[in-house]
């Protein structure tokens, strides 16, 4: 049966496949190509062709250094992290634990922030308090990202986000978020134009292997090395292409 207006196929000829059938065929071909490559890559792994999980029969040599020269949380590691972050044009301040709330409030007030996202699980004693002398009505409103979560449009309208981080890598000047308490989902640190990250000194490690040993690969990991920027076009640095243009970091000691 054909749709009215659709020309009848010529006798002896099958009707031409529609767009849906063509897309399905291409998907099947792509799937077969990908699976074929995986099978060829696993051809030297004993038992890989058997049903079930692939056995870890191929040992991976990990003879690289598992730790850096600086101890986690040491003054040397903190200085190296700050040096790298500043080189990436981030702003870094070192504060005591009981001064975090005031430091956050001060930063937000300096930017004139009116609406700021504070992810679920952010430490209560770090919640920003209005700085002394703050004008009523100029204190930023703290928005939770609950259920339902904030939409992309809503995130695009806020003035910033304040999060924690699961760890930081001094050698690369990288903050790592895994969606845990106080960190929120990925969109929170990708859409707003200002990201203020608070991280304890004891979570700062020297090297990438040390950080990887602390991370759960099953969690959604976000690695942040400075404000979002690219120099792909004419080698000119453009900030804010894939995320916030401004990154502030509070290193918490004591």
């Amino acid at each position: 049966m054909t749709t009215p207006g659709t020309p009848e196929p010529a006798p002896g000829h099958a009707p031409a496949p529609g767009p849906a059938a063509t897309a399905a065929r291409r998907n099947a071909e792509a799937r077969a190509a990908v699976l074929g490559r995986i099978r060829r890559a696993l051809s030297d792994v004993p038992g890989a062709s058997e049903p079930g999980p692939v056995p870890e029969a191929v040992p991976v040599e990990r003879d690289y250094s598992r730790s850096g020269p600086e101890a986690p949380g040491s003054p040397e590691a903190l200085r190296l992290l700050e040096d790298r972050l500043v080189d990436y044009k981030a702003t870094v301040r070192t504060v005591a634990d009981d001064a975090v709330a005031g430091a956050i409030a001060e930063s937000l007030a300096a930017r004139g922030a009116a609406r700021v996202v504070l992810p679920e699980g952010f430490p209560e004693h770090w919640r920003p308090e209005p700085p002394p002398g703050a004008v009523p009505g100029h204190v930023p409103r703290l928005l939770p990202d609950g259920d339902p979560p904030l939409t992309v449009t809503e995130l695009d309208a806020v003035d910033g986000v304040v999060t924690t981080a699961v760890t930081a890598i001094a050698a690369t000047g990288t903050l790592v978020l895994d969606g845990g308490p106080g960190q929120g989902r990925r969109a929170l640190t990708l859409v707003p134009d200002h990201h203020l990250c608070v991280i304890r000194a004891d979570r700062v490690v020297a090297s990438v292997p040390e950080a990887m040993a602390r991370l759960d690969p099953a969690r959604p990991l976000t690695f942040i090395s400075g404000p979002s920027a690219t120099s792909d076009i004419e080698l000119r640095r453009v900030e804010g292409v894939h995320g916030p243009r401004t990154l502030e970091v509070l290193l918490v000691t004591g």
Side-chain angles (χ1 to χ4, degrees):
M1 181 177 181
T2 60
T3 303
T6 301
E8 293 286 348
H13 291 76
T22 301
R25 177 180 57 78
R26 290 175 176 171
N27 287 340
E29 292 174 350
R31 181 174 182 273
V34 171
L35 292 177
R37 292 178 182 179
I38 294 174
R39 292 191 184 96
R40 288 193 294 275
L42 296 175
S43 60
D44 59 344
V45 177
S49 60
E50 302 297 328
V54 176
E56 296 183 1
V58 179
V60 178
E61 295 185 5
R62 302 183 189 278
D63 55 356
Y64 48 79
S65 176
R66 301 294 187 92
S67 62
E70 299 84 12
S74 66
E76 293 79 11
L78 299 184
R79 280 197 295 270
L80 181 59
L81 175 66
E82 180 176 356
D83 179 74
R84 296 290 191 268
L85 285 169
V86 170
D87 191 48
Y88 296 152
K89 301 186 182 304
T91 301
V92 183
R93 282 191 292 167
T94 300
V95 297
D97 184 81
D98 59 0
V100 172
I104 296 174
E106 182 180 291
S107 172
L108 298 179
R111 297 181 57 84
R115 293 161 52 88
V116 177
V117 179
L118 203 65
E120 185 176 348
F122 192 84
E124 284 295 321
H125 69 291
W126 284 357
R127 291 177 67 90
E129 299 294 339
V135 178
H138 289 188
V139 178
R141 178 185 174 193
L142 303 178
L143 304 174
D145 184 50
D147 185 14
L150 297 170
T151 66
V152 174
T153 301
E154 290 170 328
L155 287 177
D156 194 39
V158 302
D159 297 303
V161 59
V162 182
T163 75
T164 61
V166 66
T167 189
I169 307 169
T172 59
T174 303
L175 307 169
V176 186
L177 282 65
D178 70 353
Q183 300 168 59
R185 55 196 171 102
R186 277 180 165 169
L188 300 189
T189 54
L190 293 176
V191 180
D193 201 35
H194 172 230
H195 180 196
L196 196 162
C197 185
V198 186
I199 183 166
R200 296 183 184 278
D202 60 4
R203 295 192 175 189
V204 178
V205 298
S207 66
V208 174
E210 287 177 281
M212 299 307 292
R214 293 187 174 202
L215 298 175
D216 180 354
R219 298 190 63 82
L221 301 176
T222 302
F223 293 74
I224 302 171
S225 297
S228 169
T230 181
S231 299
D232 290 346
I233 301 175
E234 298 180 347
L235 300 180
R236 292 185 178 181
R237 180 181 172 93
V238 178
E239 298 178 345
V241 178
H242 307 298
R245 286 182 293 183
T246 301
L247 174 65
E248 291 186 78
V249 180
L250 294 182
L251 290 174
V252 184
T253 60

